[in-house]
Amino acid sequence: MEVTSSSAKLEPFLLMAKSVKGAAAAKLVQDATSAPGVFVFSELLELPNIQELGKSEQHGKFLSLLQLFAYKTYQDYLQHKDSLPPLNQAQITKLKHLTIVSLATDRRILPYAELLKALDISNVRELEDLIIDAIYLDLLQGKLDQKEEQLEVSYTMGRDLEPGKLEQILAALQDWASTTSAVLATLDAKINAISADTAAAKFNEQEHEKILQANLKEVHDKQKEKSMGGGMAGRRAAFQVHDRENMMDVDEPENKSKNRKASQEMAKSARKRNKF
């Protein structure tokens, strides 16, 4: 079952705190820290009637109790137990839930051994039930790794800030922003270098392609020229052979005519000799 926001759950206590003082204000702190679904207390803590509890020797410990639930842990309670009001079971469970949230804010992997010590629990089953309840209440999100005996956290709610912590958080955020800017600048430089290398490689590839195409064209032109030259030579040789044949055809009838005339003259001379 989903719960409404913690601020909305706190609203009735904020309204009542404006009109109560002393013992009534102390009782209001007890009720607010025990109430289901109330996990943030800064607005209640800042109210004048609640702050006045710190001026009372009798009720001052209730202001400390509210501060405990606002931004401290179960270990803080154990260390200052004698100066605080006794906690009921609902308060103990809530403070342990908030302690898990505080631990998860610093680290995303929480070993069971560390959680058992921080929450003063000796039973792993009890620890896992407590974590499951915290997840059900949407105080955190994550998964239990029973094999590795650890809690892997992916989300936590935000707790109230202890006085003086805001400056530390701002400084941490500024450091984070500076580191992020440096990383982004380095990434930009690397991206620009990669882009330049890619452009240079593309230009070299284009130049290589131009040279290759020019060489191929030159070879093709030479082959074409050689092919055309061989064809002209062949045609010239064929014309020369044809001319010789034609010349031989012209000379042959003249020779035949001369030979017939010589044979006729020889035959005439022979007939004259026979007459004598």
Side-chain angles (χ1 to χ4, degrees), residues 245-270:
E245 290 178 350
N246 289 339
M247 290 173 65
M248 290 175 63
D249 291 340
V250 171
D251 292 341
E252 185 176 355
E254 293 179 355
N255 291 333
K256 289 182 178 179
S257 176
K258 291 178 180 180
N259 291 334
R260 283 197 299 271
K261 289 180 178 179
S263 298
Q264 291 175 355
E265 290 178 354
M266 288 177 65
K268 288 180 179 180
S269 298

Side-chain angles (χ1 to χ4, degrees), residues 74-256:
Y74 190 71
Q75 283 296 315
D76 293 315
Y77 166 71
L78 294 179
Q79 292 175 14
H80 303 91
K81 188 175 182 179
D82 294 337
S83 60
L84 292 168
L87 301 185
N88 57 39
Q89 187 57 47
Q91 289 172 315
I92 290 175
T93 301
K94 180 182 291 190
L95 187 57
K96 287 184 177 182
H97 283 155
L98 292 171
T99 300
I100 297 174
V101 170
S102 292
L103 293 173
T105 302
D106 297 329
R107 287 191 295 163
R108 293 307 184 190
I109 302 296
L110 298 175
Y112 280 5
E114 182 178 332
L115 290 170
L116 290 169
K117 182 179 179 179
L119 301 173
D120 193 27
I121 297 175
S122 59
N123 189 300
V124 173
R125 176 62 183 273
E126 182 181 349
L127 172 63
E128 290 182 340
D129 288 343
L130 191 69
I131 295 171
I132 291 171
D133 288 341
I135 293 173
Y136 174 78
L137 292 170
D138 202 28
L139 301 179
L140 58 88
Q141 294 176 5
K143 66 177 182 178
L144 297 173
D145 188 339
Q146 294 179 323
K147 182 178 180 181
E148 298 295 332
E149 294 190 340
Q150 63 186 21
L151 169 63
E152 299 177 4
V153 182
S154 58
Y155 157 84
T156 63
M157 62 163 281
R159 291 196 67 184
D160 298 312
L161 287 179
E162 188 176 358
K165 288 290 185 180
L166 180 59
E167 291 75 11
Q168 295 179 13
I169 292 176
L170 289 175
L173 288 174
Q174 287 180 341
D175 291 341
W176 176 81
S178 298
T179 302
T180 303
S181 297
V183 170
L184 290 175
T186 301
L187 289 175
D188 287 340
K190 289 185 177 181
I191 290 172
N192 292 334
I194 292 172
S195 298
D197 291 342
T198 302
K202 186 175 181 180
F203 176 78
N204 291 335
E205 183 180 356
Q206 290 174 346
E207 290 298 309
H208 175 75
E209 183 67 20
K210 288 179 182 179
I211 294 172
L212 177 62
Q213 293 298 327
N215 290 336
L216 290 174
K217 185 176 184 302
E218 183 179 354
V219 171
H220 180 266
D221 291 343
K222 287 182 178 179
Q223 290 179 345
K224 184 177 180 181
E225 183 180 349
K226 185 183 292 185
S227 176
M228 292 178 65
M232 292 294 293
R235 287 195 291 272
R236 284 197 296 269
F239 285 139
Q240 290 174 358
V241 171
H242 181 68
D243 291 342
R244 286 197 297 270
E245 290 178 350
N246 289 339
M247 290 173 65
M248 290 175 63
D249 291 340
V250 171
D251 292 341
E252 185 176 355
E254 293 179 355
N255 291 333
K256 289 182 178 179

